[in-house]
Amino acid sequence: MRKQLSSRLLETLNVKMPKFSTDQYGAVVTIKTSSFVMRAITACFLFLGSSVHVAFARRDSWNGDDATARYEAHNNARYRWGENVASTNKINLLIKYKPRTLQQTRHSFRNSEKSARLSILADSMTDVSKRHKIAKVEIDAEDKEDIMFELMMDDAVEMVEEEFLVYTAPYKSSRRNLDSNRSNFRRSLAQESQQIGLDLIQAPLVWSTVLKNPDRYNYTSIKVCIIDTGYDYGHEDLPTSGVTSTETIYGNALTDGFGHGTHCAGVIGAVGFNKRGVVGVNPDPDKFSFHISKALNAQGVGTASSLIQGIEGCISSGSKIISMSVGGGPDSDMFREVYKEAYNEGVLIVAAAGNDGTTDHDYPASFPHVVSVGAVDQKGLRANFSNYNDQIEIMAPGVNVMSTAPNDLYDTLTGTSMSTPYVAGVAALIWSYFPECSNNQIRNVLALTAKSMASNDACDEYTGFGLIQAKKAFDVLDRWGCEAPGEDPSPLSDGGIGGCAQALPDFRNTFNAAPTTRPTPTLLGITNVSNNTSCNKLQLDLLTDSNANETWWVLEKVDSGVREEIKSGPPSTMNYSPKTQYSVAASNCLGNGIYEFTIFDISGDGIEDPGYYTITLNGQTLASNSNFGMSETTNFTIGYFLPRQPASDPTSIATWRMLLVEDFDSGFGKFINEGREVLYKSSIFGRMGVAFIQVATASGEPYLSTNEIEMDEPYSKFKVVVTYRTANFDDGQSFCIEYSPNNASTWNRVKCWSSGVHFENGVWNDNVSSVFQIENQAADMNSLRIRLILTGGSYMNRVYIDSFQLSGM
């Protein structure tokens, strides 16, 4: 009889029955249809007495398979934490209401003519989030289907879901009895495991850049919200200034009975330069602040409602970033909307991908408006426990991460829970210097500049866009501005897709584009110079003190508008050993340019005597010191401006006077565009700004020449330094340097380079020099032109010119 009535009802409503799917968890239904039809279908199910699990929502419903499986996982987790779920027959429902306030919703329920039960429930409803208009009510578990149906029949209700559990637990912990092992966990600064993680993500390179240029890089303090088990306020190595908090049913957020939240906080922002503990991604507490939302209890377990309250607290506090090392939830439509709304308010949300080593979609990480973070080990390789799927977006260190623990202690944990605060920390570090960028642009620049771990150097479901790289992200925003990772859509939530589908601009176009600002290199006032035309190598000699793990250094090229790291030390997999002598090649052969070498001591007291450092270039000492405080920077040049020396030293390299420097950064510059046989590329073969000459016809000798170079005094000797690369040259074919004085029509050849003798195709030849004399014309010469010419070439011979210099004596 019931089946007949149900069939007639569906026929009357002209409803086609959906297909149902079942699995080992029992009968599960996934329904996507209109709210009116859903109500009718549900009425039939209730009339038939079917024991099916239905997710009521007027939008796409969450998948029943996943919900049921996760529900069992939550129950297992609760048993694991000592909570016997079988001891209660009550459950909570989450209700997303339409009216402006909960009071108006209660009024609607009390006046409902459809359900007397809703009138009774009205008084027991409590607000979970006024911002998101979500309430909670406790009911008998056996009445779930009936009450959910009646709620959805009420016009004041938009969505109903059963409350679920969330939890956080590291994949692996080395935690011991910290009280009994206190001395073992009171470490000196910069534990090796933490320092390895920082090096892998390039955080120290950002610190060094802003430390050396405080006037250029102003910061805006960024508030980072951690949703977790709390925060050990007053810990010796964690910030106390500016810390705000949101309490839920789990009490004071500035205490942490589990330690997981305190550990995540240390990864983001353990205080640096204080001679204790570890160092966070953001070592300066003046440049960021914490908001703590305690959404999990002392066993690391929370509820959907506590998580929503935590998110609301983050947003209300003005947090720009939310870090959630939390998982276990279902693909909930209600939460999907919560994260979408937060994204539209300009908040960047990152969450742990999960530690099962499977393709499971863990939530909240797998929502499109949340950045899903996977884990790498200390060698930068994907950790085998890290989940992989189409929502994985970025990777960060997550194995043996040393960080803060309650009671002024330190702990080593492993899991994607540890990777998540690394990403949140980098986002805060970058965003504080580029506050004009949106959350979507910060998200995209982190993905755009990540170090690809895929075999095809692209994005894949195992590692997303790759390992996060703070310095590369910083440099892109510094050079090209917030538009580099793409313009913002409207609304912002349209930019949130997640995983490899996250919409990024073309990588090559971004890095080949003209910079928004590109300062002209400063060629004067640098006292340490070199012009060795063979191979310029920087050597570092270092004698460490007893706190060797405080010392590190970096060599950068700084004349192109962007700081380019040449080399740094120590290697990312180790620290220097105490009281040990090191002799280190701080570079390979260096080309022409302006360079900066900076040595750091994280505690700010330099290298204690008898320790020291010395850097030399081709045997010339550039700097040597020990008591340099927090850092010391040495600038030197190769091949640029060289001041004139007294005539009594005619052999000195400094007797050359620079007459012309052209790096082709902004086109042909001081050279003449000769037409179709002379071309320009903003980027090619790994170099920025290149002019090239090609044989475009079957015969001919194309050339690239300078404008007239005025002579301010007589010169009898000239030197050309050129960086070039060739293509399609046969052995014996050449290109040459020629000059013409006083704008004469004739050219004089001074040097030729031949294939098979002086160069090979496809290889950059850096700083190749040639010296020529014109003594018989020097007194009468007022100007000079130089050209590079292809001689005896064949079709499509090419010479690419990356830089050109002319100096006189």
Side-chain angles (χ1 to χ4, degrees):
M1 177 65 178
R2 286 184 175 184
K3 291 183 179 179
Q4 291 176 350
L5 288 173
S6 300
S7 299
R8 290 173 185 171
L9 176 59
L10 292 173
E11 289 172 2
T12 303
L13 295 173
N14 192 27
V15 173
K16 185 176 181 179
M17 287 293 291
K19 293 182 179 180
F20 307 144
S21 62
T22 62
D23 63 6
Q24 69 267 32
Y25 301 109
V28 176
V29 178
T30 300
I31 301 175
K32 294 183 180 180
T33 183
S34 70
S35 59
F36 176 72
V37 173
M38 180 177 285
R39 293 170 185 170
I41 294 173
T42 305
C44 296
F45 287 141
L46 296 175
F47 190 67
L48 289 169
S50 301
S51 57
V52 295
H53 302 284
V54 182
F56 293 89
R58 290 184 178 163
R59 302 181 183 175
D60 289 349
S61 60
W62 41 274
N63 182 278
D65 278 357
D66 186 64
T68 308
R70 291 295 178 191
Y71 185 74
E72 288 200 357
H74 302 329
N75 285 346
N76 291 337
R78 291 177 67 178
Y79 280 116
R80 190 163 62 247
W81 299 116
E83 299 179 20
N84 189 345
V85 294
S87 63
T88 177
N89 62 353
K90 298 288 188 179
I91 64 169
N92 289 327
L93 296 182
L94 297 177
I95 304 165
K96 186 172 177 63
Y97 51 85
K98 291 180 178 179
R100 193 161 50 89
T101 66
L102 177 59
Q103 188 61 33
Q104 291 173 330
T105 305
R106 289 194 182 109
H107 180 76
S108 175
F109 285 4
R110 292 190 185 105
N111 292 290
S112 174
E113 298 178 356
K114 302 173 184 176
S115 173
R117 186 157 32 193
L118 293 190
S119 179
I120 298 172
L121 289 178
D123 292 330
S124 61
M125 293 170 59
T126 58
D127 240 331
V128 173
S129 171
K130 293 180 180 179
R131 176 184 293 270
H132 301 291
K133 298 196 293 186
I134 296 174
K136 178 173 71 173
V137 66
E138 185 181 74
I139 65 169
D140 292 328
E142 62 185 16
D143 296 332
K144 180 180 73 171
E145 279 82 7
D146 291 343
I147 293 176
M148 290 179 79
F149 170 71
E150 292 171 11
L151 284 168
M152 284 304 300
M153 292 295 290
D154 193 282
D155 291 336
V157 175
E158 180 177 349
M159 196 179 301
V160 182
E161 292 183 0
E162 182 179 351
E163 185 164 42
F164 51 83
L165 294 179
V166 293
Y167 53 89
T168 181
Y171 170 73
K172 187 178 180 182
S173 170
S174 68
R175 174 167 290 203
R176 312 166 195 172
N177 184 327
L178 297 185
D179 290 330
S180 64
N181 290 279
R182 185 178 179 89
S183 61
N184 293 332
F185 282 82
R186 289 190 64 85
R187 306 296 183 110
S188 62
L189 183 72
Q191 294 296 320
E192 179 173 312
S193 57
Q194 181 77 344
Q195 189 63 49
I196 290 173
L198 293 173
D199 289 342
L200 284 175
I201 65 172
Q202 299 185 329
L205 295 181
V206 177
W207 306 343
S208 67
T209 298
V210 298
L211 277 172
K212 290 181 290 185
N213 300 273
D215 295 333
R216 176 177 177 182
Y217 297 112
N218 299 315
Y219 67 87
T220 298
S221 181
I222 297 291
K223 186 171 281 288
V224 182
C225 182
I226 302 174
I227 298 179
D228 214 289
T229 59
Y231 182 82
D232 187 35
Y233 186 85
H235 189 289
E236 65 176 8
D237 206 20
L238 288 175
T240 55
S241 177
V243 178
T244 55
S245 63
T246 297
E247 296 183 9
T248 64
I249 59 173
Y250 302 124
N252 183 2
L254 300 185
T255 61
D256 188 357
F258 190 53
H260 190 273
T262 298
H263 192 279
C264 292
V267 174
I268 294 172
V271 179
F273 322 127
N274 63 352
K275 288 185 172 293
R276 59 172 62 94
V278 292
V279 183
V281 179
N282 297 269
D284 187 347
D286 291 335
K287 296 181 178 180
F288 79 102
S289 61
F290 279 131
H291 182 85
I292 309 299
S293 285
K294 192 169 187 173
L296 306 170
N297 65 16
Q299 288 77 40
V301 179
T303 64
S305 56
S306 67
L307 186 58
I308 290 175
Q309 289 171 340
I311 295 168
E312 178 168 345
C314 294
I315 298 172
S316 298
S317 73
S319 296
K320 301 291 288 183
I321 300 163
I322 298 177
S323 178
M324 295 191 297
S325 295
V326 176
D331 183 4
S332 156
D333 277 347
M334 194 174 292
F335 272 82
R336 186 178 291 264
E337 287 298 306
V338 167
Y339 296 123
K340 180 179 180 180
E341 290 169 13
Y343 205 84
N344 278 328
E345 293 191 53
V347 179
L348 179 65
I349 310 165
V350 296
N355 304 321
D356 299 324
T358 68
T359 58
D360 289 347
H361 286 85
D362 207 357
Y363 293 90
S366 293
F367 287 117
H369 299 102
V370 178
V371 179
S372 180
V373 183
V376 302
D377 62 19
Q378 293 176 328
K379 295 182 180 179
L381 304 175
R382 176 183 166 271
N384 58 10
F385 59 79
S386 186
N387 281 7
Y388 55 98
N389 53 58
D390 58 3
Q391 285 298 115
I392 297 295
E393 193 160 327
I394 205 159
M395 308 293 284
V399 176
N400 294 333
V401 176
M402 174 68 76
S403 187
T404 46
N407 303 316
D408 288 344
L409 300 174
Y410 304 88
D411 203 358
T412 300
L413 301 180
T414 290
T416 54
S417 283
M418 285 63 256
S419 308
T420 300
Y422 270 113
V423 173
V426 170
L429 180 65
I430 302 304
W431 213 345
S432 65
Y433 293 102
F434 304 97
E436 67 276 14
C437 297
S438 71
N439 57 334
N440 193 65
Q441 289 170 327
I442 294 295
R443 176 183 189 171
N444 284 353
V445 79
L446 296 181
L448 185 70
T449 57
K451 182 180 179 181
S452 177
M453 300 170 64
S455 57
N456 60 351
D457 202 32
C459 183
D460 66 15
E461 66 178 11
Y462 290 93
T463 57
F465 289 97
L467 178 61
I468 191 168
Q469 301 287 276
K471 184 57 163 57
K472 288 185 178 179
F474 183 96
D475 286 346
V476 166
L477 296 180
D478 190 26
R479 184 171 186 180
W480 285 280
C482 294
E483 292 72 25
E487 295 183 1
D488 282 331
S490 182
L492 273 172
S493 57
D494 285 353
I497 301 171
C500 294
Q502 184 66 20
L504 302 180
D506 186 281
F507 190 91
R508 293 164 299 179
N509 287 346
T510 298
F511 286 93
N512 289 342
T516 54
T517 59
R518 192 170 186 179
T520 302
T522 302
L523 304 180
L524 304 179
I526 299 176
T527 58
N528 299 300
V529 299
S530 174
N531 199 19
N532 187 320
T533 58
S534 55
C535 180
N536 304 286
K537 285 188 177 181
L538 189 70
Q539 180 74 22
L540 168 67
D541 291 296
L542 173 69
L543 176 60
T544 60
D545 59 17
S546 57
N547 297 309
N549 57 353
E550 300 175 358
T551 302
W552 60 282
W553 56 270
V554 61
L555 174 65
E556 298 174 292
K557 188 177 182 182
V558 297
D559 62 354
S560 60
V562 172
R563 292 180 174 271
E564 174 190 355
E565 181 190 347
I566 304 301
K567 198 170 183 179
S568 63
S572 60
T573 56
M574 62 176 290
N575 287 325
Y576 288 128
S577 299
K579 299 182 178 179
T580 303
Q581 180 77 51
Y582 292 90
S583 184
V584 180
S587 74
N588 295 318
C589 294
L590 297 173
N592 61 292
I594 303 175
Y595 296 87
E596 273 189 8
F597 175 90
T598 303
I599 189 165
F600 297 88
D601 181 84
I602 298 178
S603 65
D605 58 1
I607 304 173
E608 296 177 1
D609 290 333
Y612 68 92
Y613 86 94
T614 299
I615 55 170
T616 57
L617 184 68
N618 303 323
Q620 177 186 355
T621 298
L622 301 185
S624 184
N625 203 354
S626 56
N627 300 315
F628 54 82
M630 186 177 294
S631 68
E632 184 169 82
T633 297
T634 301
N635 294 323
F636 62 95
T637 66
I638 296 175
Y640 277 103
F641 173 80
L642 304 173
R644 296 182 69 92
Q645 298 292 317
S648 59
D649 186 17
T651 61
S652 169
I653 60 170
T655 57
W656 291 106
R657 178 80 175 272
M658 189 64 68
L659 302 175
L660 180 146
V661 176
E662 183 56 64
D663 282 336
F664 303 103
D665 285 341
S666 303
F668 290 102
K670 301 177 181 67
F671 283 75
I672 301 171
N673 184 349
E674 302 289 348
R676 65 175 185 151
E677 294 182 321
V678 176
L679 303 172
Y680 175 78
K681 288 287 187 181
S682 59
S683 176
I684 192 169
F685 301 133
R687 301 294 175 98
M688 301 293 293
V690 174
F692 69 95
I693 318 161
Q694 66 176 1
V695 179
T697 59
S699 62
E701 293 187 338
Y703 58 86
L704 175 66
S705 67
T706 66
N707 289 302
E708 275 196 271
I709 304 166
E710 300 295 331
M711 300 288 106
D712 56 355
E713 59 181 273
Y715 295 97
S716 60
K717 184 182 293 186
F718 296 89
K719 179 167 65 174
V720 169
V721 180
V722 61
T723 294
Y724 70 91
R725 175 187 177 121
T726 63
N728 304 318
F729 274 69
D730 294 330
D731 286 351
Q733 292 181 328
S734 305
F735 77 97
C736 303
I737 298 287
E738 297 180 342
Y739 75 91
S740 172
N742 297 326
N743 203 22
S745 59
T746 57
W747 291 87
N748 303 282
R749 187 162 297 175
V750 295
K751 175 68 177 178
C752 291
W753 290 279
S754 299
S755 177
V757 177
H758 301 103
F759 62 81
E760 295 181 0
N761 290 317
V763 178
W764 281 108
N765 300 274
D766 291 313
N767 302 321
V768 178
S769 66
S770 178
V771 176
F772 60 94
Q773 290 184 282
I774 49 175
E775 292 188 14
N776 59 331
Q777 297 175 315
D780 299 323
M781 189 168 63
N782 300 313
S783 66
L784 181 73
R785 287 190 297 155
I786 300 289
R787 73 177 184 181
L788 294 87
I789 184 169
L790 274 62
T791 62
S794 57
Y795 182 61
M796 292 310 290
N797 279 174
R798 289 186 177 184
V799 176
Y800 300 89
I801 311 299
D802 182 43
S803 65
F804 183 92
Q805 301 166 40
L806 176 69
S807 53
M809 181 188 295

